[in-house]
Amino acid sequence: MSNDSSILEYIAEHYLSSHDFNGLPVRTLREAYSLTKDTSLQLVERRLRSQDIDVMFGNIHVNPHIKAFSHITHEKQLEFLAELGLEDSHCLYPSAKYLSSLKLESRFEGRPYDLELALGAGQLDFRVFDLLVLEYYRNDPRYYYKTNFIDGSISITDEHCETGSMPEKDQVLLQTFGFAYDDDLNRGVAVFLRYLKGLSPEHQRIWHARQLSGDYKLHPDYYRNSILGDSGTRISIFEALPLELKVINEMSALIGKAPLFRQTFEINRPKNFGFLLRPTLSEFNDFILLLDKMLSDNINKDFFKNDTDLEEERERADGKIEVKQKGTLALLEEWLRKRFTPKEPAPFDSMFKSLKEVRRLRQKPAHAVNEDVFNLKYFKEQRQLVIGAYDAVRTLRLALANHPAVRRNPPEIQKNLERGEIWDI
């Protein structure tokens, strides 16, 4: 036992000085201290009972050279040791208890997420942040900001990467981020510590200032993709809505009509078509404007030619008749109600109600006095609005699917859409 202290120091220094806070292979320890297999097993068992080290077992952990999670207890590790034995490929780590005694704050000053890993956190432990932290990157054209609202990534654009015109501290590469929720469906950005560590000290501090406390769970499909290595079970509602527009246009062609929607957006989805990052009335109104442009404003009047009068006559107060163009929603409702009589009228009624609600909200004064008011209610109001809009578009697609020409030769529909496997969180 006389060597235990120096061995612990050796394991700790290997961990702290390695590039990715890597574990020390048992083989390396045995060679450095001329330990037999029995002696090394006794040492590991002894230090596990003292809670000075952690062991990653290659039989269980996909990559024992990194400590993925910090929640595996020493009792469980002792069970693994008794069951599996100690192999040369297993890796040893200083425990959080041991690392806390080393006073590492000055060694990792200004790098809060390096420090968390240095103190024994797991590489795939995640932290949750205010959505506002993403606004910095979304609004800066020097960054590629991509998200499907289940996961996403951030990197610098090729132009600024190749020219070196961007300060090194701002050359951010965040390989992946996801989203997380508390029990009230309040949303945050989730990032694993291994990727936070890759940020420059300046950007680590930016994120750290926006870190949230509380009990958050990873988005189910982000957990499935990132932790379990499985494919997702659904797609985001913001991906699904443009795909529905695309299918509707394919149905329009089968019917022999012009495309019902002028654009479908499934390839070039608008950057701001997603959950709000900042819950202000201004952002909420901007989203409503965008949503209405994608729906009501996007309806192609040529679709209705030869089927529906595009104009209507109205008598003015002075008795004169004036001719007015019908609105796109009025044309759509008139066309659909003439051709489809659903057994249950509620979905049709709900469809038009949702589309008209988006139009009504858009027509509110564009610059109200309190336009920049900040209120968390806008997160929930936006979610309900987009759920209603998506349901309306889906109902429209289901109605067109009953047209004889579509039934004879239906377009291929992505399984997620067909089954209604859509995330609205």
Side-chain angles (χ1 to χ4, degrees), residues 40-81:
S40 58
L41 175 61
Q42 293 167 10
L43 168 75
V44 168
E45 184 175 5
R46 187 165 63 245
R47 299 332 305 178
L48 274 177
R49 293 191 185 282
S50 297
Q51 300 187 359
D52 292 322
I53 65 170
D54 291 308
V55 185
M56 298 294 114
F57 299 87
N59 321 58
I60 295 171
H61 305 98
V62 175
N63 181 2
H65 295 277
I66 64 166
K67 183 180 180 180
F69 302 103
S70 60
H71 65 272
I72 302 173
T73 65
H74 287 91
E75 290 78 8
K76 178 58 70 174
Q77 292 178 56
L78 283 165
E79 289 179 19
F80 290 151
L81 185 63

Side-chain angles (χ1 to χ4, degrees), residues 181-187 380 383 425:
Y181 305 85
D182 65 13
D183 290 339
D184 294 323
L185 288 184
N186 293 311
R187 203 160 179 265
K380 290 182 169 59
R383 177 172 174 267
I425 57 173

Side-chain angles (χ1 to χ4, degrees), residues 106-340:
S106 60
R107 183 167 174 174
F108 297 95
E109 186 176 2
R111 294 176 285 158
Y113 298 110
D114 287 71
L115 178 61
E116 284 206 53
L117 289 170
L119 290 171
Q123 303 250 353
L124 296 183
D125 291 345
F126 67 92
R127 300 294 177 260
V128 180
F129 306 89
D130 191 314
L131 293 168
L132 287 174
V133 75
L134 294 178
E135 194 176 44
Y136 179 95
Y137 305 99
R138 183 196 68 181
N139 295 347
D140 190 331
R142 297 176 300 172
Y143 294 103
Y144 286 125
Y145 167 81
K146 300 177 182 178
T147 181
N148 59 12
F149 306 99
I150 295 170
D151 57 30
S153 63
I154 299 168
S155 61
I156 61 172
T157 63
D158 294 340
E159 174 190 352
H160 289 90
C161 181
E162 293 167 359
T163 62
S165 60
M166 199 171 190
E168 186 175 351
K169 66 181 178 65
D170 291 325
Q171 293 180 20
V172 168
L173 172 62
L174 196 60
Q175 184 173 325
T176 177
F177 65 83
F179 296 93
Y181 305 85
D182 65 13
D183 290 339
D184 294 323
L185 288 184
N186 293 311
R187 203 160 179 265
V189 187
V191 187
F192 298 117
L193 283 174
R194 71 174 289 111
Y195 300 115
L196 289 166
K197 170 188 173 293
L199 298 174
S200 67
E202 291 81 2
H203 282 260
Q204 284 195 36
R205 293 194 291 271
I206 288 172
W207 284 77
H208 194 258
R210 290 289 183 184
Q211 187 169 321
L212 300 174
S213 59
D215 185 16
Y216 285 83
K217 296 179 177 62
L218 288 178
H219 188 292
D221 267 2
Y222 190 57
Y223 176 83
R224 183 181 295 274
N225 293 336
S226 302
I227 303 299
L228 302 182
D230 291 343
S231 57
T233 58
R234 309 182 191 183
I235 60 174
S236 164
I237 197 168
F238 294 102
E239 283 190 293
L241 193 147
L243 290 174
E244 295 280 12
L245 300 184
K246 177 177 179 288
V247 174
I248 288 170
N249 275 0
E250 291 171 355
M251 290 178 170
S252 301
L254 291 170
I255 296 169
K257 306 291 292 180
L260 180 55
F261 292 100
R262 289 177 292 164
Q263 297 184 69
T264 56
F265 304 103
E266 84 277 6
I267 297 176
N268 296 312
R269 193 172 69 239
K271 182 172 66 173
N272 292 337
F273 184 59
F275 286 115
L276 300 180
L277 299 184
R278 183 183 294 271
T280 64
L281 181 57
S282 176
E283 288 243 342
F284 183 65
N285 283 342
D286 287 345
F287 178 80
I288 291 168
L289 176 61
L290 174 59
L291 185 60
D292 194 55
K293 285 181 176 179
M294 294 176 68
L295 298 175
S296 301
D297 271 5
N298 194 25
I299 292 174
N300 179 13
K301 287 188 175 184
D302 287 346
F303 176 90
F304 307 104
K305 281 183 178 179
N306 304 319
D307 287 344
T308 305
D309 290 332
L310 304 184
E311 300 174 337
E312 61 182 344
E313 295 181 348
R314 291 184 183 177
E315 184 177 352
R316 299 191 326 204
D318 60 6
K320 292 184 178 180
I321 302 297
E322 64 178 355
V323 177
K324 281 197 165 186
Q325 292 284 325
K326 291 180 182 177
T328 53
L329 290 182
L331 287 169
L332 179 63
E333 183 168 8
E334 184 179 339
W335 190 89
L336 283 172
R337 291 197 185 278
K338 280 183 179 178
R339 285 158 182 78
F340 301 96

